[in-house]
């Protein structure tokens, strides 16, 4: 007599409790930001930074998550905006001086302007992720700023006018813009958090961090960073309201007067550096003269090949044939633990002119169209969205405005370039990332524990038996004031709780 075995039933898996929430994927991007605090090549040898390798791993990690979850990678708008520069980059790579230079330039441009921004836009899922990433920028800025202020106070920084007083943080004298970039972006992120509608304690801490980052920004002696930070902060204040802009502007002006005129910061060097901003045309110093000469050389390269440019990595090879005799052979760098070194001038220190010279009008129009779309869409959403998401929009738009302004005085290069990609990724998530309607890039929510009580509950606020997926999240985002009215604000997820946005049959209501 045979005994039939009972049918095999899969083990029932209990849903994770509120305390078992998985780690957010955005921590991979936070790790890249944290790696910039590590001192690398202190002797001034340069070379790739660990953050560059980590950013490549972030792209691979994001692709693996997409393949595992079988998610739609990007919304159509985000895919178009982020992929616009690819055509110009690929065309310029074909006209590079050598195949090796073309492949190197192609990989670098794709990493900074396409792949890593797309990965950031995909790994950021909710508003809490944006705030976490913004606070990581603030923390990195505070660390680098503290190192820079110590270098200035103890005369152990990079050489500036023959004295080792220029604050460069852990980046060394070969990348004098590294610490200035980090501190500026941290200050912009802190101001965006302070202007939001978070609890008062968090806003006070963010405002205090923004004020604390003013001294290291001042002793970086970077005029381009000063101008870009001022433009970005003014834009954030105007987006937060005219009255608030006037009040905060008056307070910042008072703090600036105290810091510049107070003991330790109102030095003759700093005053002379500030005054030089207003007389760059009348009495330019050698650095400004070199910059003007390289700008003119970039313009001549574009006129020679207006559509395609001279190719990626082609500016150094064509520089001497187009530059004037006023251009020096290089800039002197030393101090901060590095020996004297004459650093050649291999770029025009203007991202727009570098693209125009190497990629021609085709590349410049592609990049400008992508960045302009992010800026317009981002500003429009800040003005339309409710107060709950305002801090995220101010941070994203502020970082984007800073980058677009700084590109008039600098270009990509150095370890801090990964922050350019992070800023563009945050701007893409906010502007076209699908967060508005719960699309591919994730719903715009504040996170938190799930409130679903039915069998399908998973991260939504629905209470019906089939609750799942994010219908309640979308309803919450719509109710926050997203320029949409009534039932249209919630979209598919704004229906009654009994009509849950999950798969499966609907149950009859209990009588």
């Amino acid at each position: 007599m045979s005994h039939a075995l009972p049918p095999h039933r899969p083990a029932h898996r209990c849903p994770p409790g509120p305390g078992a929430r998985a780690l957010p994927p955005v921590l991979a991007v936070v790790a890249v930001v944290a790696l910039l605090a590590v001192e690398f090549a202190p002797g001034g040898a340069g070379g790739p930074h660990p953050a560059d390798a980590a950013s490549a791993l972030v792209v691979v990690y994001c692709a693996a998550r997409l393949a595992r979850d079988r998610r739609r990678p990007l919304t159509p708008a985000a895919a178009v905006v982020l992929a616009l520069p690819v055509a110009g980059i690929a065309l310029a790579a074909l006209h590079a001086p050598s195949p090796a230079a073309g492949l190197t330039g192609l990989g670098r441009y794709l990493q900074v302007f396409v792949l890593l921004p797309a990965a950031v836009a995909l790994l950021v899922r909710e508003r809490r992720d944006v705030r976490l990433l913004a606070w990581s920028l603030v923390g990195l800025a505070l660390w680098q700023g503290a190192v820079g202020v110590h270098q200035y106070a103890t005369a152990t920084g990079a050489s500036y006018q023959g004295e080792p007083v220029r604050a460069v943080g852990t980046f060394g004298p070969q990348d004098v813009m590294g610490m200035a970039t980090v501190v500026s972006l941290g200050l912009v992120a802190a101001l965006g958090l302070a202007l939001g509608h978070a609890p008062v304690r968090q806003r006070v801490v963010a405002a205090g961090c923004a004020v604390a980052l003013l001294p290291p920004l001042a002793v970086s002696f970077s005029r381009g960073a000063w101008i870009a930070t001022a433009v970005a902060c003014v834009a954030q204040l105007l987006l937060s309201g005219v009255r608030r802009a006037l009040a905060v502007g008056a307070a910042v002006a008072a703090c600036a007067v105290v810091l510049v005129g107070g003991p330790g910061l109102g030095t003759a060097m700093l005053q002379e550096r500030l005054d030089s901003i207003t007389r760059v045309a009348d009495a330019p110093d050698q650095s400004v003269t070199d910059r003007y000469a390289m700008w003119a050389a970039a313009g001549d390269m574009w006129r020679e090949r207006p559509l395609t440019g001279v190719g990626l990595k082609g500016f150094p090879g064509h520089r001497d044939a187009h530059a004037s005799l006023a251009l020096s052979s290089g800039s002197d760098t030393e101090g901060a633990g590095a020996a004297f070194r004459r650093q050649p001038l291999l770029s025009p220190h203007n991202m727009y002119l570098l693209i125009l010279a190497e990629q021609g009008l085709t590349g410049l129009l592609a990049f400008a169209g992508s960045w302009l779309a992010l800026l317009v869409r981002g500003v429009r959403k800040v003005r339309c969205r409710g107060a709950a998401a305002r801090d995220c929009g101010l941070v994203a738009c502020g970082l984007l405005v800073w980058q677009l302004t700084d590109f008039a005085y600098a270009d990509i290069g150095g370890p801090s370039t990964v922050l350019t990609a992070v800023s563009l990724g945050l701007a893409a998530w906010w502007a076209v990332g699908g967060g508005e309607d719960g699309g591919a890039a994730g719903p715009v929510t504040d996170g938190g524990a799930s409130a679903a009580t039915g069998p399908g509950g998973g991260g939504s606020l629905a209470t019906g038996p089939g609750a799942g997926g994010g219908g309640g999240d979308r309803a919450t985002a719509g109710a926050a004031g997203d320029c949409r009215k009534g039932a249209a604000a919630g979209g598919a997820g704004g229906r009654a709780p009994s009509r849950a946005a999950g798969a499966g049959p609907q149950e009859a209501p209990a009588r």
Side-chain angles (χ1 to χ4, degrees), residues 2 28 37 65 78 95 125 154 195 206 210 254 271 277 281 286 339 357 377-378 444 496 501-502:
S2 61
R65 284 185 60 90
H95 295 82
R125 298 294 186 90
T154 59
L195 295 175
Q271 294 289 349
I277 297 178
Q286 185 59 45
R377 289 283 300 256
V444 183

Side-chain angles (χ1 to χ4, degrees), residues 135 190-191 193-195 201-213:
W135 278 112
L191 182 59
L193 294 171
L195 295 175
R201 179 178 300 178
Q202 296 183 17
R203 285 185 286 155
V204 170
V205 172
C209 292
V211 174
L213 290 173

Side-chain angles (χ1 to χ4, degrees), residues 193-471:
L193 294 171
L195 295 175
H197 286 267
V200 177
R201 179 178 300 178
Q202 296 183 17
R203 285 185 286 155
V204 170
V205 172
C209 292
V211 174
L213 290 173
L214 289 175
L217 179 62
V219 296
S220 69
F221 293 99
S222 174
R223 292 171 293 197
W226 293 348
I227 296 173
T229 304
V231 172
C233 291
V234 169
Q236 287 178 307
L237 291 172
L238 292 176
L239 287 175
S240 64
V242 178
R243 292 184 179 179
R244 177 179 286 185
L246 294 176
V248 177
V252 170
C255 292
V257 171
V258 173
L259 290 174
V260 174
L265 288 179
T267 61
M269 286 185 179
L270 188 58
Q271 294 289 349
E272 189 274 335
R273 193 67 167 176
L274 286 170
D275 295 338
S276 66
I277 297 178
T278 60
R279 49 182 175 84
V280 291
D282 299 333
D285 53 25
Q286 185 59 45
S287 64
V288 176
T289 302
D290 291 339
R291 188 164 308 208
Y292 287 162
M294 291 187 292
W295 288 1
D300 290 340
M301 295 178 198
W302 167 70
R303 282 186 287 271
E304 182 179 321
R305 299 181 184 178
L307 291 181
T308 61
V310 297
L312 297 182
K313 301 287 185 178
F315 182 87
H318 293 77
R319 181 199 61 185
D320 294 339
H322 297 85
S324 64
L325 297 177
L327 179 66
S328 63
S329 59
S331 59
D332 300 337
T333 62
E334 64 176 331
F340 175 82
R341 180 185 178 188
R342 190 150 186 87
Q343 192 167 351
L345 304 175
L346 303 178
S347 68
H349 293 279
N350 184 303
M351 193 66 213
Y352 304 107
L353 290 178
L354 179 63
I355 295 174
L356 188 64
E358 294 187 345
Q359 303 181 35
L361 197 59
T362 304
L364 183 62
L365 290 178
F367 274 98
S370 175
W371 295 337
L372 185 61
L374 292 179
L375 182 62
V376 172
R377 289 283 300 256
V379 171
R380 183 180 300 172
K381 288 185 67 173
V382 171
R383 299 177 66 88
C384 293
R385 296 300 293 268
R390 181 173 298 169
D391 57 343
C392 300
L394 291 176
V395 170
C397 291
L399 295 178
L400 179 61
V401 170
W402 190 94
Q403 289 293 344
L404 297 182
T405 306
D406 186 68
F407 279 163
Y409 306 95
D411 47 48
I412 58 175
S416 60
T417 301
V418 296
L419 296 183
T420 299
V422 172
S423 302
L424 293 176
L426 278 177
W429 176 85
W430 173 256
V432 294
E436 180 179 358
D437 54 1
V444 183
T445 66
D446 281 317
S450 171
T453 58
S460 70
L461 300 178
T463 56

